[in-house]
Amino acid sequence: MLFVYKQTNIPLVAGLVSGLSRPVFFGQVHYSTNLPFHLPNIHLERGPSRLSKINNPCRPREQTRAHSSSLPLLSSHSPSNNNRRISPSSPSFSTSLSSHHHLPPSSKITAKMVSNGTENPSKRHKVALIGSGNWGTTVGKLMAENTSEHPNIFEKDVQMWVYEETVEVDGNPQKLTEVINSKHENVKYLPKIKLPTNLIANPSLVDTVKDATILVFNLPHEFIGNICKQIKGHISPYARGISCIKGVTVTDDKIELISEYIGEHLNIYCGALSGANIASEIANEMWCETTIAYNTPPCDLHAVNSNGHANGNGQPVEEHRDSRGQIIKTPLVPVPQDYPELSHEALRSLFQRPYFTVSMVSDVVGVSLGGALKNIVALACGFVEGNGWNMTAKTAVMRRGMLEIIQFAREFYPETVQEKTLWEESAGWGDMIVSCTSARNWRYSKMAVERGVSIQEIERTELNGQKLQGISTSREVSSFLRARGVEDKYPLFKAVEGILDQTIKLEDIPHLFRKAQ
């Protein structure tokens, strides 16, 4: 339940929901906690004086929490009702709230029932997944399970683009899409995992994204440029995206988050998903957690303004800012008001499963860089372990790796990065630990050293046509740093590229670390 107390100069309030044992704080962002039951949102308005708008609607949740301790509680329990439970439909609901001793005595409170910004939105979000490797198919599985369970928010079917291949099933060559749609199993990239029947494999990229309002990107980052070119002009103008791609696009001139690359090339907003996630474990419904960064565009917030109308009328609206704090070049087209609002809670309901816990944040930079750069560190850990070095050496590599990730974020995204994301979220240290102890970049770099062959040879023989993202990320990031003359400030990143190109020996790592002190 969401209480928004609309009184001038009181932009942030707190609510204590009846039946909960702790306060639930809400601020200028629609922010709430998981409730053990479902209730519609409630907007509370103060008589004739209402806010014409909510300032800074994309305020991060940690800033909201920071102010909550000094605020009065708005409670559905009042001293006069002997802690009697009051439901929103109760005749005494408004009276109880307005008579609470923490509210100004002149305040007359009225309650208005709304659902995701509109009363009973008539449309549902259509979800499209671009990518069908092991991680892509896994994400498709959990999303399709959720769209079935949330028909008030999403259309049931999830379209999944599959690069068409011929696979052999029971001794007969068949198209991969036909196998997925008939057997409900991705026999090549996620074998022996039963997929929901509403996850639809589609060999046409353009048809997959047609009319979709939520686009989920899940494929190796080196292919994203070509994908964006193919679908530009074929997607909904108010589509929103989530990138599950752990990488960055880098040239000697600039570095760009994958999510922002997608957003700029398609003229949409795109968030990012990253965390300590291993596809095969999640597919087998072994519990883990992840982080989704989504800084809801102001034009998508269904906030009632002074004339009683809401945003989301299909007209371009400015003022959304990018990862460097600059207003975006092309104004976004708002999600129409007849769709459910794409809030943090709505996105959580698309991805979260009993076996997959989702933490929502607004720090797209921290989540994106943590997911991309930790692959370089994972390669280094594999090299060290394959060479027979002990766990303390590996720990030193991980510690240095996290310092360089944070240093990189500070140096190139000082305006918006929140370092706590890297220290506290699954997308930070959690992903680092998993990637450096059990994930692919670590496993195959370790194998390369143990077998005495190049990691490129291991990639060719062991990965069934897929690529190790750490290799391309390492080379691109090092080239970017070298062009700016700061490569020596990042000794671990420099060492990994040198080992890949056989210009630096593994044994040189301790010397490079000492040199950087």
Side-chain angles (χ1 to χ4, degrees), residues 298-320:
C299 63
D300 288 351
L301 293 172
H302 293 169
V304 179
N305 59 33
S306 59
N307 60 12
H309 296 292
N311 293 329
N313 57 9
Q315 299 301 315
V317 177
E318 297 185 350
E319 299 303 317
H320 186 63

Side-chain angles (χ1 to χ4, degrees), residues 284-388:
N284 282 287
E285 303 188 1
M286 301 169 68
W287 178 75
C288 73
E289 59 182 1
T290 199
T291 309
I292 295 177
Y294 192 85
N295 193 6
T296 306
C299 63
D300 288 351
L301 293 172
H302 293 169
V304 179
N305 59 33
S306 59
N307 60 12
H309 296 292
N311 293 329
N313 57 9
Q315 299 301 315
V317 177
E318 297 185 350
E319 299 303 317
H320 186 63
R321 297 180 181 272
D322 62 18
S323 61
R324 291 185 170 86
Q326 303 298 313
I327 296 175
I328 59 173
K329 299 175 184 177
T330 304
L332 295 173
V333 176
V335 176
Q337 191 179 347
D338 50 0
Y339 283 92
E341 183 177 290
L342 277 181
S343 62
H344 277 190
E345 287 304 313
L347 287 170
R348 181 185 279 114
S349 69
L350 178 60
F351 291 94
Q352 183 162 275
R353 298 296 298 158
Y355 55 88
F356 193 65
T357 300
V358 173
S359 172
M360 298 293 306
V361 300
S362 298
D363 181 16
V364 179
V365 171
V367 168
S368 299
L369 290 183
L373 301 182
K374 56 84 184 177
N375 286 325
I376 303 176
V377 186
L379 289 178
C381 284
F383 292 146
V384 165
E385 192 167 345
N387 199 46

